[in-house]
């Protein structure tokens, strides 16, 4: 990465508007949202149901397009990309972590983590090495051959985090990543996010939970499709201790 690349925000959003429906049934889910996310930032986007946070997440993840406004990821103007270019950008520059894990049943943890590299045309040996390294990073080296139904919820989400990391994306985008987890598993996943943040990973988490948002360096709050708060904060308790290899996730 050049010095110039390092100065380019990972995300640059200007005047995003998203409308659904027509006429009297028209709904404005986003009303002119603007924000930058710098490289290495850890941002929590909060809001009640209907605030527009899920709509914003879909646009940031290149899963949807705005009605108007500009969105750049890693310097690339998303609005100028065709479907193929958009798919390539999603695969290479955005790592997704979803509330429901979205792992493929009857595929091992290793195969699940390798999947984005398969789509990216990476050779088998490199795929295997990178997937193993990602699983080690989340403390699951002893679970690589386990299928999702052989893993706890916390372990499944850690596999999902490894899958999101394996392409070395510019952005890690997590949508309610602890929503389906118990307290112990939530803490494990948040510790991993904390370590990734401390290592310089750019993270945006969509959440409605204050304790999850407290781990971020920056809090953005949406109400009725508008940013009503955008502030820096001190993340809770600094970097946690490193998980032991294969530590239980609950």
């Amino acid at each position: 990465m050049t010095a110039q690349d390092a100065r380019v925000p990972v995300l640059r959003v200007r005047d995003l508007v998203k409308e659904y429906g027509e006429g009297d049934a028209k709904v404005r889910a986003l009303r002119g949202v603007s924000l930058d996310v710098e490289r290495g930032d850890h941002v929590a986007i909060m809001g009640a149901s209907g605030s527009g946070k899920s709509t914003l997440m879909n646009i940031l993840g290149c899963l949807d397009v705005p009605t108007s406004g500009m969105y750049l990821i890693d310097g690339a103007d998303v609005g100028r990309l065709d479907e193929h270019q958009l798919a390539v950008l999603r695969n290479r520059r955005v790592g997704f972590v979803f509330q429901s894990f979205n792992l493929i049943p009857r595929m091992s943890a290793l195969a699940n983590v390798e999947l984005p590299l398969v789509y990216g045309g990476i050779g088998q040996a490199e795929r295997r090495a990178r997937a193993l390294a990602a699983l080690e990073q989340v403390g699951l080296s002893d679970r690589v051959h386990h299928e999702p139904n052989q893993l706890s919820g916390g372990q499944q989400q850690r596999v999902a985090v490894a899958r999101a990391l394996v392409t070395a994306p510019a952005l890690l985008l997590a949508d309610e990543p602890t929503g389906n987890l118990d307290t112990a598993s939530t803490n494990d996943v948040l510790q991993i996010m904390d370590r990734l943040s401390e290592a310089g990973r750019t993270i945006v988490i969509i959440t409605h939970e204050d304790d999850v948002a407290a781990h971020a360096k920056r809090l953005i709050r949406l109400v009725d499709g508008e940013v009503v708060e955008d502030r820096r904060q001190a993340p809770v308790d600094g970097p946690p201790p490193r998980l032991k290899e294969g530590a239980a996730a609950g």
Side-chain angles (χ1 to χ4, degrees):
M1 181 189 304
T2 67
Q4 183 176 3
D5 290 337
R7 291 194 299 268
V8 174
V10 172
L11 297 181
R12 171 156 285 173
V13 170
R14 291 292 180 271
D15 300 319
L16 278 194
V17 172
K18 182 63 179 181
E19 298 175 340
Y20 298 99
E22 297 180 355
D24 293 340
K26 182 181 292 185
V27 174
R28 298 191 81 191
L30 295 178
R31 300 168 181 262
V33 171
S34 295
L35 59 93
D36 284 355
V37 176
E38 303 296 335
R39 207 166 299 277
D41 210 351
H42 184 183
V43 181
I45 298 178
M46 299 193 73
S49 178
S51 64
K53 66 181 189 297
S54 294
T55 300
L56 180 59
M57 188 218 70
N58 287 335
I59 292 173
L60 295 181
C62 303
L63 300 171
D64 197 1
V65 294
T67 303
S68 63
M70 183 181 72
Y71 170 39
L72 278 69
I73 178 166
D74 226 15
D77 187 343
V78 174
R80 297 179 181 273
L81 303 181
D82 61 29
E83 283 298 319
H84 173 71
Q85 292 169 323
L86 206 55
V88 171
L89 183 141
R90 272 196 305 267
N91 181 264
R92 295 181 180 174
R93 300 196 189 183
V94 183
F96 294 96
V97 181
F98 297 101
Q99 178 176 345
S100 56
F101 318 142
N102 288 7
L103 301 180
I104 307 299
R106 296 181 296 282
M107 284 179 61
S108 68
L110 184 61
N112 268 282
V113 174
E114 285 183 337
L115 207 52
L117 301 178
V118 174
Y119 295 146
I122 304 299
Q124 183 176 5
E126 184 179 349
R127 287 202 312 263
R128 181 63 49 90
R130 287 169 62 172
L132 287 171
L135 285 164
E136 181 178 6
Q137 197 170 2
V138 300
L140 288 178
S141 287
D142 62 344
R143 297 289 191 273
V144 297
H145 299 300
H146 287 60
E147 296 179 1
N149 65 2
Q150 298 172 309
L151 300 171
S152 69
Q155 288 169 337
Q156 289 184 62
Q157 191 60 298
R158 286 157 68 188
V159 172
V161 172
R163 180 184 58 193
L165 292 173
V166 77
T167 59
L171 170 67
L172 184 64
L173 185 59
D175 182 20
E176 302 283 4
T178 62
N180 286 341
L181 303 181
D182 61 25
T183 301
S185 299
T186 291
N187 289 337
D188 283 342
V189 170
L190 290 177
Q191 285 183 7
I192 291 170
M193 294 292 185
D194 289 349
R195 289 205 309 276
L196 293 170
S197 176
E198 290 297 319
R201 181 71 58 187
T202 307
I203 302 171
V204 173
I205 292 183
I206 312 295
T207 184
H208 67 276
E209 300 180 45
D210 290 330
D211 57 341
V212 174
H215 286 253
K217 300 172 184 174
R218 178 181 172 196
L219 175 65
I220 296 173
R221 194 179 301 275
L222 292 178
V223 174
D224 294 334
E226 297 181 297
V227 175
V228 298
E229 182 179 13
D230 185 349
R231 62 176 172 85
R232 291 279 164 190
Q233 61 183 18
V236 294
D237 294 334
R242 178 172 291 278
L243 284 177
K244 293 182 181 178
E245 190 80 6

